[in-house]
Amino acid sequence: MDANHELMVLGACNIAAGLLQGMPVGAGFSATTANAGAGATSRWAGLIALGVIGMALAFALPAVHLLPRPVLAVAVIHALWHALNPRPLLDVWRMKRDRLLVIGAVLAVLAFGVLHGMLIAIGLSVLDAMRRFSQPVVHELGQLGASRNFVVLDANQGAVAVPGLLILRPEEPLFFASAERVAADVVARVRGRDDLRTVVLSLEESSDLDSTAVECLLELDQRLQAMGKALVLTRVKEPIRELLGAWNPQGLGAADRLYWSVADAVQANGVLRLG
């Protein structure tokens, strides 16, 4: 099955139905399930179904309206019964992730139907992602032993801070909803630290930057310069390098302020302890 082909066919059918003043054409999960459950493996199943429906309309139409609705309900329930497995929901619940989203999606489907319920569930997921991205956690990194690895100081024994450097890593991408929070967090950590010379900010979670994030980084650079500190960026991906290089080539976009790894930034601006 090719989902794109299926959608193209449905779109073409709806265009034809609109031109001929017909009914909207849709696809039902129960009909697809019943078709697959009956052993359909090719497109001939659709043609045979078309023939059967045509014969039913031609010869059995007067009797169709006499069919009780409970009988139709039983047919749909039977077709979908095997899909009513609570195991996926229980697996998500045991992972202790997205519990509220699961509850909201189930209630939305029960209250508004499958289509509108799924749209509401998608909207809730987008809102939750926006909430999580707008409240980023910024970790301080330290060198792990005598290696080139830099890990979270609080979570790994043996990691030590590099003297004179403050190495920070936001755990979410920088964009308009999170950049100001990250910049404020960096300034708060630097304030009162007379032993610091350079702030190393790792952007490994950011594949690109919007205009607000760029402005926040440039403003952060100016504020740190006013405090007598330097700002360098590490784990900077190509789109960000090109953007900063074009926007601020003599400042934060300069080649000597953008590094591929934390170890390179530390080696250029501090003391990298290697075994």
Side-chain angles (χ1 to χ4, degrees), residues 8-80:
M8 290 176 62
V9 170
L10 285 175
C13 291
N14 276 290
I15 291 174
L19 294 175
L20 299 176
Q21 298 183 356
M23 295 292 291
V25 180
F29 180 54
S30 57
T32 303
T33 303
N35 191 38
T41 58
S42 69
R43 299 175 182 175
W44 286 103
L47 295 176
I48 294 174
L50 174 63
V52 172
I53 293 174
M55 294 178 62
L57 292 176
F59 302 105
L61 189 60
V64 171
H65 75 280
L66 300 177
L67 189 66
R69 288 190 176 182
V71 175
L72 296 176
V74 169
V76 173
I77 292 173
H78 175 74
L80 294 177

Side-chain angles (χ1 to χ4, degrees), residues 204-258:
E204 61 187 85
E205 298 296 337
S206 301
S207 60
D208 204 350
L209 299 176
D210 58 18
S211 59
T212 302
V214 174
E215 292 176 357
C216 287
L217 285 178
L218 297 179
E219 182 181 351
L220 175 62
D221 184 33
Q222 295 175 357
R223 295 180 67 180
L224 291 178
Q225 287 182 8
M227 300 169 66
K229 319 294 182 184
L231 173 65
V232 298
L233 305 178
T234 184
R235 303 298 298 272
V236 184
K237 297 178 174 60
E238 286 290 351
I240 301 178
R241 285 175 176 270
E242 296 176 359
L243 178 61
L244 293 177
W247 189 266
N248 192 237
Q250 304 302 323
L252 196 56
D256 59 347
R257 300 183 66 181
L258 304 176

Side-chain angles (χ1 to χ4, degrees), residues 130 173-181 210-213 216:
M130 292 289 292
L174 290 185
F175 69 116
F176 68 90
S178 64
E180 291 186 2
R181 288 177 177 266
D210 58 18
S211 59
T212 302
C216 287

Side-chain angles (χ1 to χ4, degrees), residues 114-197:
V114 175
L115 177 59
H116 294 91
M118 291 302 297
L119 292 176
I120 292 174
I122 293 173
L124 292 175
S125 299
V126 172
L127 291 177
D128 182 67
M130 292 289 292
R131 178 195 61 80
R132 186 172 64 254
F133 289 159
S134 65
Q135 300 175 354
V137 176
V138 180
H139 287 304
E140 182 176 355
L141 306 183
Q143 187 177 4
L144 185 61
S147 67
R148 293 176 59 88
N149 299 322
F150 287 81
V151 294
V152 179
L153 282 176
D154 297 336
N156 294 273
Q157 295 182 355
V160 296
V162 179
L165 300 184
L166 178 62
I167 308 171
L168 300 176
R169 181 183 66 196
E171 295 302 315
E172 304 293 348
L174 290 185
F175 69 116
F176 68 90
S178 64
E180 291 186 2
R181 288 177 177 266
V182 171
D185 193 348
V186 173
V187 172
R189 291 172 185 251
V190 172
R191 187 174 290 115
R193 295 281 302 273
D194 296 333
D195 59 313
L196 294 179
R197 302 187 310 272

